[in-house]
Amino acid sequence: MSDTPAPDLKPSFRSDVTVELVKHSASDTDVLWAARVSTAGEQSLDELSKDPERSRGLINYLMRDRHGSPFEHNSMTFFISAPIFVFREFMRHRVGWSYNEESGRYRELQPVFYVPDADRKLVQRGRPGKYEFVKGSEEQRELTARTLENSYTQAYEAYREMLAGGVAREVARAALPVGLYSSMYATCNARSLMNFLSLRTQHELATVPSFPQREIEMVGQQMEARWAELMPLTHAAFNKNGRVGP
């Protein structure tokens, strides 16, 4: 593939994130056979053929008393499209996670950039550790969109100029900002996902408050919706017990 972008390739702007569950081996039954091996040994395999609803209480007990390891015997792989700054926050979550991200060394990066939509609160009030975000004025919203779009366009033109001049992709990418969209596969288990959600989403049932950046919360909410479909009893117990990862 040529290092020179197509001449008519122009920057485009988005305000959303997308999350696709591409592969999984995850169910409430996985929690039950893993937990019951403690007392039933090889007979714990019987759980594979039983309705997990009959053991709703056991799942709640494990969550409540933070017996976490039975929640690790499952796997979910998500394909995520989001701005680069979201992925840099993701990388703080290392235990129980695996990542593979699109590489600017090996492919020509596409000019798709993040601009906040009208629902994104723009203004921070208060000091670090004790602040809130408010919507901001129409003037601030116009300033944000205009400035970001201009900056993105200039940065992409610089990237394209370097590629056209024969500069390596891994060098030319340094001109691009963290508002550029990237894509990655992220694989986790229910325990590591619950820890992520406890820190990266706000929820009325959470006993420990969290103050995530909105863009990574958007990713977390979509991941949670897909996980809840796979493991509804585990998800319900997570909510019932204050959304604290076991």
Side-chain angles (χ1 to χ4, degrees):
M1 179 173 61
S2 171
D3 285 344
T4 304
D8 59 345
L9 199 57
K10 302 295 183 182
S12 61
F13 308 105
R14 293 173 52 185
S15 59
D16 66 325
V17 300
T18 59
V19 176
E20 180 183 357
L21 179 67
V22 296
K23 186 175 68 172
H24 69 86
S25 175
S27 69
D28 292 314
T29 300
D30 296 330
V31 180
L32 298 173
W33 56 254
R36 287 210 160 98
V37 73
S38 298
T39 56
E42 69 280 359
Q43 294 179 8
S44 61
L45 291 172
D46 293 342
E47 293 297 331
L48 292 171
S49 59
K50 294 180 180 178
D51 182 0
E53 280 283 354
R54 57 183 282 278
S55 297
R56 179 188 294 268
L58 174 58
I59 291 176
N60 188 69
Y61 159 74
L62 295 169
M63 191 77 69
R64 184 194 68 210
D65 286 13
R66 305 194 71 184
H67 296 293
S69 58
F71 297 102
E72 297 177 6
H73 296 272
N74 55 82
S75 178
M76 293 164 280
T77 298
F78 299 92
F79 183 71
I80 303 167
S81 176
I84 287 174
F85 66 80
V86 171
F87 291 166
R88 297 304 157 260
E89 288 199 326
F90 245 108
M91 300 308 171
R92 295 178 181 271
H93 299 270
R94 297 181 292 276
V95 178
W97 287 87
S98 298
Y99 304 108
N100 281 95
E101 186 182 349
E102 175 182 356
S103 174
R105 295 184 69 192
Y106 303 120
R107 68 165 301 187
E108 177 187 308
L109 297 172
Q110 301 302 298
V112 182
F113 298 95
Y114 175 75
V115 175
D117 64 16
D119 294 329
R120 208 317 183 175
K121 296 177 180 178
L122 294 180
V123 179
Q124 178 179 322
R125 290 180 179 171
R127 56 182 174 82
K130 191 176 183 181
Y131 58 82
E132 64 175 350
F133 283 91
V134 296
K135 185 173 182 179
S137 66
E138 287 303 314
E139 290 77 13
Q140 288 169 322
R141 192 161 303 284
E142 188 277 332
L143 172 65
T144 299
R146 172 171 48 82
T147 303
L148 286 177
E149 290 180 12
N150 289 341
S151 176
Y152 292 151
T153 299
Q154 292 175 15
Y156 186 69
E157 288 175 353
Y159 174 69
R160 181 171 60 181
E161 182 180 359
M162 282 189 281
L163 292 183
V167 177
R169 286 183 290 251
E170 65 182 48
V171 177
R173 65 177 175 170
L176 296 172
V178 295
L180 180 77
Y181 272 75
S182 186
S183 57
M184 75 171 179
Y185 290 105
T187 298
C188 63
N189 58 56
R191 189 182 192 184
S192 55
L193 180 58
M194 284 186 279
N195 177 263
F196 176 89
L197 295 174
S198 71
L199 296 169
R200 300 299 183 176
T201 60
Q202 287 185 316
H203 199 283
E204 61 183 4
L205 297 177
T207 54
V208 180
S210 182
F211 306 95
Q213 184 162 338
R214 176 56 185 153
E215 289 77 12
I216 197 169
E217 183 179 39
M218 291 161 61
V219 174
Q221 289 171 337
Q222 292 190 44
M223 296 174 76
E224 180 172 0
R226 287 149 182 79
W227 168 57
E229 295 173 355
L230 299 175
M231 304 179 71
L233 301 183
T234 302
H235 181 254
F238 176 59
N239 281 333
K240 182 177 180 179
N241 290 281
R243 294 177 66 87
V244 176

